Amino acid sequence: MIHPLALMFFLAFLVFVDVRILVPVLPSISQSLDASAGTVGLSLTAYSFAYGIGQLFYGPLSDRLGRIAVIRAAGVGFGLCTILSAFSVTMWQFILVRLLAGALAGAVIPLTLVFIGDTVAYERRQSVLGLFAVVNSSAMALSASIGGTVAFFVSWRLMLLGYGVLALLPAGLMWRVETPAPCLPEGGAERFTDLLRNRYALFVYAAVFFQGVLLWGAMTYIGAFAVQRYRIDQFEVGLLIALFGCGTLTGGLLMGRIRRHISEKSLALWGGVMMGVSLLVFIPNWPAAVFAAGMLVLGLGYVCLHTTLQLRGTQISSTARGKAFSLFTFSLFSGISIGSAVFGWLVDGGRSEAMLAIAGAGMACVGLATAIAPQGRAVREPKVVGDVCILQ
């Protein structure tokens, strides 16, 4: 029997790809549906908005119904909405089904991380999170090329049709996986207000929020900065940015070995320092080779710090792990949105170097703060009473 985590990884890979698969084919969709590029772009906005808001619902729902039950239902819905989007005849039909696809896709990746928290011991968990980072990196590297290639040689409609059918495969197989009873705490699960009064949780949420603001806010404009600095074309920019994915891929593959030699706190510290130094290295007008090396180190530092934050995010609560991690993901998305807006103001004002200085110094501080903060708490072991799992 296929392990449920393998099916989740496969479905998560498809979701990672789906987030960016439409970017290279927007002109084709625009022409086919007789709409402007800006209107087609609303489908990406709708997808991202629904994806982010959904985080606050899927976590609590999975605490009540179980992770596998929610992921497989959302996976089937995601596949069907993707298929329906291939048959859209108007732009607004396309935007609507993409919004629904985003809402359903939002369950897969966060709940896979929560499932890892449920089933993998704390000491081994960061190695598994590193492998999940490999899935993320591979999808990031392949998404644009898959979409562009299939759409060029066939059509964007066939691309989405085939992609939706492919998504139904792991989701359908998960219906054959036995769903364990959700672990129910005696006296009721923690509420959102309880989690927001938890100092340990607040630190984790704040750290991942500032990571979203500083790193992903800066990454939004790093390509434009490279074009302006080195006078290179979009293809060359793509290659430079792809080195970030190579860094995360390398770090994810080596995470098991790294954790055998470096403690969790040291890993967080070095991750923040590597990201901070990399962003600061971009400021002087050094050769493009230095910029390329910085992108590689930036990706390696990211996987070191982010998997540490994910590890601690899965350890916030044993009685409401899904609800607790939904706030983790929501904090990250909120940070990305705010960071893009704030740094956009700096970039438009011709202060890209100031953006990089703030992001670099800030990420080093996030790494340091994570290193000196308390590590994950021990969770209570569940015991089965009849058919129900009770947390004591």
Side-chain angles (χ1 to χ4, degrees), residues 201-230:
L202 286 176
F203 173 81
V204 175
Y205 298 149
V208 76
F209 171 81
F210 282 111
Q211 185 187 57
V213 170
L214 297 166
L215 175 65
W216 292 112
M219 283 291 288
T220 302
Y221 306 103
I222 203 75
F225 176 78
V227 169
Q228 182 181 19
R229 168 66 59 83
Y230 299 107

Side-chain angles (χ1 to χ4, degrees), residues 218-242 282-288 290-292 295 347 352-353 355-356:
M219 283 291 288
T220 302
Y221 306 103
I222 203 75
F225 176 78
V227 169
Q228 182 181 19
R229 168 66 59 83
Y230 299 107
R231 299 293 188 267
I232 55 181
D233 59 34
Q234 294 298 314
F235 176 74
E236 292 170 315
V237 170
L239 292 179
L240 284 176
I241 295 178
F282 296 154
I283 297 175
N285 193 4
W286 285 334
V290 176
F291 189 96
M295 291 300 297
V347 170
S352 295
E353 289 81 3
M355 172 194 74
L356 292 171

Side-chain angles (χ1 to χ4, degrees), residues 312-361:
R312 297 185 181 183
T314 62
Q315 202 72 359
I316 289 171
S317 173
S318 60
T319 61
R321 201 188 303 268
K323 184 180 294 183
F325 202 80
S326 70
L327 289 175
F328 178 96
T329 310
F330 182 76
S331 299
L332 177 61
F333 270 80
S334 299
I336 293 171
S337 300
I338 293 173
S340 298
V342 172
F343 284 160
W345 175 72
L346 287 175
V347 170
D348 289 344
R351 295 189 290 271
S352 295
E353 289 81 3
M355 172 194 74
L356 292 171
I358 293 170

